Amino acid sequence: MNKPLASRDFVAPSRRAFLQVSLAAGGGLMLAFNLPHGAQAADAATDATGGATLNAYIRIAPDGVVTIAAKNPEIGQGIKTMLPMVIAEELDVDWSAVRIETAPVDVKAYGPQFAGGSQATPLNYDLMRKVGAAGRALIVATAAGAWGVSPAECETASGVVHHRPSGRSAPYGSLASAAATLPAPDLAALTLKDPATFRIIGHSQRGIDSPKVVVGHPLFGIDTVRPGMLYAVYEKCPVFGGKVVSADLDAVKAIKGVRQAFVVHGDDQPAGLRDGVAILADSWWTANKARKALKVVWDEGPTAGQSSAGYAARALELSKQPGTKPLRSDGDADRALAGAAKVLEASYAYPFIAHAPLEPQNCTAEARGGRIEIWAPAQTPQSGRTLVAKTLGLAEDDVTVHMTRVGGGFGRRLNNDFMVEAAKIAQVAGVPVKLLWTREDDMRHDFYRPAGWHFLKGGLDADGKLIAWRDHFVTFGDGDKFAPSAGMTGTEYPARLVDNCLIEASLMPTGIPTGSLRAPGSNALSFVFQSFIDELAHAAGKDQVAFRLELLGSPRALGKPGELPFDTGRARGVIELAAEMSGWGKTATAPGEGMGVAFYFSHRGYFAEVVKASVAPDGTVTPQKVWVAGDVGSQVINPTGAENQAQGAVLDGLAQALGQEITIDKGRTVQSNFGDFPLLRMTQVCPVEVRFRKTDFPPTGLGEPALPPLAPALCNAIFAVTGVRLRRLPIDATLLKKA
């Protein structure tokens, strides 16, 4: 039972947060909140009379059914289920009584609505708890008033208010309409439940859409159909940044079923509208067939002179020169290296990678009366709305975006180029349009995980302790500004743990669009740093787990003002748990098998992983099992969803390590489909065991931080088998083949 009005301290809400109570259509209670977040809601009102848009987070019907709005895009990470779970917990209703609706795109009402950066939990956990607690407080106050008792004497459970001394009780539904006449409670005075009483948070719940997904219910952007809709394809220059010179449209228009074909001139923004030719037809098959007959003359532009081989050669040249962008300088790394008992030097590299979501980019748009309506599988629907309005010369209020379920994002759909393409095509065509990219479009017009090169030196003293660290990082950028998602900070592990640490960067220009990929930055940096740490452990003659624990030292928080703190105790905890789970140092491996370990701190999450893998005589690598230990704070809201996220991150990391690479030649992408950019095969999948440590820290997201340790743990396991140190991804089996 929950006693809602007992005194308890918690962080007060923003001064701009407010609540409005009203009668729902058909009777019952509707709670509307405005809970602004930072700059994205800077225009929100300061009180309930200020005119800000309100959202209907909760509706309680007379029959007791509770409808909760899911405000963020669902891209497969379970957020549509998880955030309403938090509200339902504090509201104190049974999960079986909850119905979930996707909220409209309206950041003034709902605050930030996006999927990315594992931010949904840290940004919304406390706020969603207050939303539920407000509803519970209103219902309790209504019951207490009707019974002439103090609210403090009342308890709630499973959507029922109880007054134990008198034996009276009332279901929420019977109180909802009367509750709608009460003044809104003070959010700062609300009492949150004791986590020890949680019945929903921390208990596994099935994804709310899962039954519909498995039977093919039309939930995704690609499923959208509008009356009178035409199907569109959009041909862009194969070289990034290329422009249309001319196109033979008459030949395309002559094909049966083709309704329109026209040139679209873009705005030269990589994440905006690119030059291209739109073809609209009665079916997508017809449109795509006509596209193959299209003849276009392109101005390929300066990027046509760029290539992966050229980037690698330039990176090697820059590595021999002083770095131009300092990132960190502690102590005197060069002096410490000169006096070290042992110095290791190694260069590491990783390639461009595509996102390759199973649902290719698509968008449906309908323009009429100077307004445009859009159905899009976007991770950042509000940013897409802003982009469309700016590009098409409309006011944002004239652009409506509907969130659909997203068939995978991994960071690709943080950019909304596909949305603005569909909107522009619909505006010109004057009819509803569904734009659907081919798999080749998706692979060759991505915002890739940037390639990078690291030139490392590490120094050990006579006791095998790491006393010096030097990294010259070469990647992409303009002047001293990193290209999107290409950079790193001076706080990346093992910075702050080594007294003498020098990290610097050199940047080179590129015309290739780059962007965030699951665990941006960390997905590549972990491979480099955790692999080199493993090299240093072997050079020191120490166990790989023991070496990492020694480097972490005693439990403490590291970080200067303005830096994201790094907690060595939490890091130690997951490393020790992963070692325990895997039987590290105690489990015998079969011939041809080895075990490797890695750890990383990413997106506020601490994860360590141990991989057991085998290497066949022909160099084929087969993962045998992966043990995952994670620390995402005090609550794992939906354990089944959390386990699925960690397992999915591991499998994603395996695919990247074993075979994924985007190669650039003459300014264009060489790879085109899953035949030359392989996803993980069923035969490559292995058991993944996941455990979480609960620690006394605010809950954080976990869609991303379980991915970074996988690649280095796998490569370290391969070294344990073969003695071959892999310093470039993806894994090259020919290096492992026995003569």
Side-chain angles (χ1 to χ4, degrees), residues 168-199:
R168 286 175 289 189
S169 64
Y172 283 14
S174 68
L175 302 166
S177 294
T181 66
L182 296 183
D186 180 1
L187 293 181
L190 291 173
T191 301
L192 300 182
K193 291 175 68 175
D194 183 341
T197 68
F198 284 170
R199 297 183 304 108

Side-chain angles (χ1 to χ4, degrees), residues 378-612:
Q379 290 182 244
T380 54
Q382 176 58 38
S383 296
R385 182 187 186 200
T386 301
L387 176 65
V388 168
K390 180 179 179 181
T391 305
L392 273 59
L394 302 173
E396 280 199 31
D397 288 344
D398 292 330
V399 180
T400 300
V401 177
H402 301 280
M403 286 191 290
T404 68
R405 190 177 174 97
V406 183
F410 315 111
R412 172 58 180 89
R413 288 179 162 104
L414 295 173
N415 290 292
N416 293 290
D417 48 328
F418 58 95
M419 189 189 296
V420 76
E421 287 174 3
K424 182 64 176 179
I425 292 168
Q427 185 186 55
V428 174
V431 296
V433 169
K434 176 191 276 188
L435 172 67
L436 175 61
W437 288 22
T438 65
R439 179 64 59 197
E440 289 77 11
D441 289 332
D442 200 53
M443 197 74 72
R444 289 176 167 168
H445 294 283
D446 202 348
F447 294 82
Y448 304 106
R449 191 281 304 274
W453 297 261
H454 293 258
F455 301 88
L456 299 161
K457 289 183 180 180
L460 302 168
D461 67 12
D463 295 324
K465 180 181 178 181
L466 182 60
I467 59 170
W469 178 274
R470 201 180 201 283
D471 180 20
H472 188 173
F473 174 36
V474 182
T475 188
F476 303 104
D478 183 11
D480 64 351
K481 183 179 180 181
F482 287 115
S485 296
M488 75 173 193
T489 69
T491 61
E492 290 290 334
Y493 177 93
R496 302 187 283 194
L497 295 168
V498 184
D499 291 337
N500 302 288
C501 178
L502 178 63
I503 306 173
E504 55 189 358
S506 294
L507 309 183
M508 54 182 160
T510 180
I512 308 304
T514 60
S516 300
L517 183 139
R518 191 174 191 174
S522 304
N523 55 43
L525 299 175
S526 177
F527 160 67
V528 173
F529 301 146
Q530 284 291 311
S531 295
F532 192 52
I533 286 289
D534 219 63
E535 290 199 55
L536 290 163
H538 279 279
K542 296 183 178 181
D543 173 80
Q544 292 76 40
V545 167
F547 186 82
R548 286 170 171 81
L549 294 176
E550 179 184 303
L551 179 59
L552 289 167
S554 60
R556 64 203 188 280
L558 302 177
K560 300 175 182 177
E563 292 181 350
L564 186 64
F566 174 74
D567 192 295
T568 62
R570 299 178 74 182
R572 292 182 66 93
V574 293
I575 293 173
E576 290 168 344
L577 178 56
E580 175 190 328
M581 292 167 62
S582 64
W584 182 269
K586 301 175 183 178
T587 302
T589 54
E593 287 185 349
M595 296 173 69
V597 63
F599 152 81
Y600 219 66
F601 170 56
S602 169
H603 292 78
R604 298 186 177 92
Y606 296 77
F607 276 82
E609 295 170 15
V610 173
V611 174
K612 182 166 71 173

Side-chain angles (χ1 to χ4, degrees), residues 591-593 615-620 721-724 733-739:
E593 287 185 349
V615 182
D618 66 355
T620 300
V721 179
T722 65
V724 176
T734 63
L735 298 176
L736 308 175
K737 186 176 181 180
K738 292 184 178 180

